[in-house]
Amino acid sequence: MSAQAMKEKMMGEVTGMLGVMLLNLGKETGVWQAMRGGASVTTAKLAETAGLSERYLEELLRASSLHGYLKYTPGTTPESKSWDSGIAVTGDSFALSSEMEEVLFDEDSPNYYGHSLSLPMFFAGAPFEKLIQSFKDDSGVPYALYGKKFPEFVEKSHSKIYQTQIKEWLKNEDLKDLRSVLSKGGVVLDLGCGNGWSSISIAEEFPNTTVHAVDCDETSMEKANLNFAEAVSGNQVKANQIIPHCCFAHEANIPKGSVDLVMLFICLHDMYNPSEVLASAVDMLKPDGCILVLEFTNPDSFPELMSSDSPQKGLTKFCMSVSVLHCLPVCKVGPADTPSQAVGTCFSLNTMKKVAAKG
């Protein structure tokens, strides 16, 4: 690729990043919500409906139209305003297409992406400044620095997976003995439970089983406790069926050798010492117990990935980017006298075997 082509690629990506910021702005201010239904509106009408500044809306809707997010209908009559717009106002109108509405709002659609749009926003500001320093001194970025809304983002990203797929995973023929144990009444340890939806899902599927929900992040556990209470009041799970622990795995008050299943769902890659975590998990297990680890699929060979055109390349590009900005710096936060295993988001099967063997 020539230098000019590379520059044009970067210009396009920067413009795309700005577009994502516009979409988040419209989402957080309620602009897109106010435009649902497909009707074409002027900035004056939308300002009245949404209770927002018309001048800001004028700039936002024009920019969003240039990005292709809105349908644009030109006006023909010049309008006099109390401000001087950079480009004269002529009564233009704007509409949110049904396709864009589906992408932004329809959570049951396979095309829904409204929630994921906010991900890059969490990586800016204080976490980014700390990350710059981390590159220089090989330190990490505390999870809490990404803000109190980030655990909520993670919750919404993962809760639907847990609510719809855990039951299917446990129907695997290789897990039939485990399923039998849990149906009769077993013990599950959900390590890195986050906001608790994996714990709720397993407790709901196996009402005779006790679930220990463990996470060291206070914000996540505060929300988990609220979710647990709602699940009890909604008769999804039994009272006291889920036992919360806000601590590290080895600090949880759970007898060794008492657990039938340890779950580590989309969290092991964020941990400072995953081998030690797995070793602690093994100590908790009964002789016939098992550990289930869920991570994003990533290849064992980076050279092979770079030379391929498979869909996996796109997923790993996403995972590796998130790893640089969040998961790797988070997993490097820990005791100064013990080096982090620093796995990052791209947890390949070969690396998983290596990490497990060290434990």
Side-chain angles (χ1 to χ4, degrees), residues 14 45 59 65 69 78 89 94 104 135 138 154 184 191 193-194 221 244 246 257 285 311 337 345 351 357:
V14 168
K45 180 64 177 176
E59 211 79 350
S65 297
Y69 303 145
V89 178
F94 306 84
L104 289 176
F135 264 71
D138 198 34
V154 174
K184 294 173 184 175
L191 281 182
C193 69
M221 285 308 299
C246 187
L285 289 175
D337 59 344
T345 316
T351 302

Side-chain angles (χ1 to χ4, degrees), residues 90-342:
T90 56
D92 304 341
S93 59
F94 306 84
L96 192 69
S97 68
S98 59
E99 294 82 5
M100 193 62 178
E101 185 171 335
E102 177 183 345
V103 171
L104 289 176
F105 294 105
D106 188 355
E107 296 185 27
D108 294 324
S109 169
N111 298 316
Y112 175 66
Y113 205 71
H115 170 68
S116 300
L117 286 171
S118 59
L119 178 61
M121 310 299 288
F122 293 108
F123 301 152
F128 192 76
E129 293 301 317
K130 180 64 175 73
L131 181 59
I132 294 171
Q133 183 60 41
S134 297
F135 264 71
K136 297 174 182 178
D137 60 19
D138 198 34
S139 61
V141 179
Y143 186 86
L145 197 60
Y146 290 88
K148 287 203 167 186
K149 287 188 175 182
F150 188 71
E152 296 177 13
F153 173 86
V154 174
E155 174 188 18
K156 193 165 184 180
S157 298
H158 296 166
S159 60
K160 194 168 185 180
I161 297 174
Y162 299 147
Q163 286 281 280
T164 59
Q165 296 188 32
I166 282 181
K167 299 169 187 178
E168 294 303 314
W169 295 335
L170 290 173
K171 289 178 183 177
N172 188 296
E173 184 64 20
D174 293 335
L175 299 176
K176 64 180 181 181
D177 292 340
L178 172 64
R179 187 175 181 86
S180 176
V181 169
L182 298 182
S183 296
K184 294 173 184 175
V187 177
V188 171
L189 170 55
D190 185 7
L191 281 182
C193 69
N195 289 2
W197 281 103
S198 47
S199 299
I200 292 170
S201 299
I202 199 79
E204 189 176 19
E205 179 70 1
F206 300 103
N208 296 320
T209 282
T210 297
V211 180
H212 292 276
V214 178
D215 202 294
C216 63
D217 182 65
E218 291 183 6
T219 301
S220 295
M221 285 308 299
E222 286 173 6
K223 186 61 191 299
N225 285 323
L226 292 175
N227 289 336
F228 297 154
E230 285 187 16
V232 170
S233 65
N235 295 317
Q236 286 179 269
V237 302
K238 297 177 181 177
N240 303 316
Q241 184 186 358
I242 302 175
I243 304 172
H245 306 262
C246 187
C247 60
F248 290 100
H250 65 279
E251 297 171 336
N253 185 23
I254 304 169
K256 291 186 177 181
S258 66
V259 175
D260 297 290
L261 168 64
V262 175
M263 303 192 311
L264 287 146
F265 286 177
I266 318 181
C267 64
L268 193 61
H269 68 268
D270 279 332
M271 296 182 179
Y272 187 81
N273 53 351
S275 292
E276 288 184 29
V277 171
L278 289 173
S280 297
V282 170
D283 288 342
M284 297 287 188
L285 289 175
K286 294 177 181 178
D288 57 349
C290 71
I291 300 173
L292 291 182
V293 178
L294 175 66
E295 289 289 350
F296 297 103
T297 300
N298 279 286
D300 291 318
S301 169
F302 191 73
E304 288 183 13
L305 177 72
M306 287 298 292
S307 62
S308 76
D309 292 318
S310 71
Q312 180 64 53
K313 193 171 184 178
L315 174 60
T316 301
K317 178 168 68 172
F318 172 83
C319 288
M320 194 73 74
S321 300
V322 172
S323 190
V324 173
L325 298 168
H326 179 264
C327 299
L328 179 58
V330 163
C331 78
K332 285 182 70 64
V333 175
D337 59 344
T338 306
S340 167
Q341 287 182 261

